[in-house]
């Protein structure tokens, strides 16, 4: 499956429900965020014509800074034919 560009990514603080950051993927399908310590997040990927996809990520219990990678696979929406 090839990376998707122009996917809107939202970083949501799970405790508050607030969107704390957002980004749009480039041709390589990547987006980057700086995460706060001891915080639980939900990452949501959205693109027109695809189902939204979300996954949780947490920095709770992390003692040192590290890169965290996540792969979200979006599925095409099925269109109803008339």
């Amino acid at each position: 499956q090839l990376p998707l560009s122009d996917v809107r990514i939202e970083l949501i603080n799970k405790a508050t429900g607030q969107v704390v950051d957002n980004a749009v993927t480039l041709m390589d399908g990547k987006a980057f965020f700086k995460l706060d310590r001891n915080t639980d997040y939900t990452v949501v990927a959205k693109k027109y014509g695809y189902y939204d996809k979300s996954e949780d990520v947490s920095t709770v219990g992390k003692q040192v800074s590290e890169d965290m990678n996540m792969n979200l696979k979006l599925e095409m929406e099925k269109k109803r034919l008339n």
Side-chain angles (χ1 to χ4, degrees), residues 3-11 21-35 42-46 57 66-72 74:
L4 287 174
S5 61
D6 299 319
V7 177
R8 192 173 91 220
I9 309 293
E10 293 180 344
L11 183 66
D21 205 351
N22 60 66
V24 176
T25 61
L26 300 175
M27 294 297 291
D28 63 3
K30 294 180 181 178
F32 299 92
F33 298 102
K34 183 174 172 115
L35 306 179
T42 299
V43 178
V44 181
K46 299 178 179 183
V57 64
E66 66 180 70
D67 289 339
M68 300 168 72
N69 297 304
M70 176 181 295
N71 290 313
L72 297 176
L74 301 181

Side-chain angles (χ1 to χ4, degrees), residues 8-75:
R8 192 173 91 220
I9 309 293
E10 293 180 344
L11 183 66
I12 300 168
N13 180 309
K14 288 183 73 172
T16 65
Q18 297 291 328
V19 175
V20 294
D21 205 351
N22 60 66
V24 176
T25 61
L26 300 175
M27 294 297 291
D28 63 3
K30 294 180 181 178
F32 299 92
F33 298 102
K34 183 174 172 115
L35 306 179
D36 293 331
R37 295 176 120 191
N38 295 313
T39 306
D40 294 319
Y41 297 96
T42 299
V43 178
V44 181
K46 299 178 179 183
K47 183 174 174 86
Y48 178 77
Y50 292 80
Y51 289 107
D52 294 352
K53 181 77 174 189
S54 65
E55 191 168 314
D56 293 335
V57 64
S58 179
T59 59
V60 174
K62 302 282 184 190
Q63 298 301 315
V64 294
S65 181
E66 66 180 70
D67 289 339
M68 300 168 72
N69 297 304
M70 176 181 295
N71 290 313
L72 297 176
K73 294 184 179 183
L74 301 181
E75 297 181 18

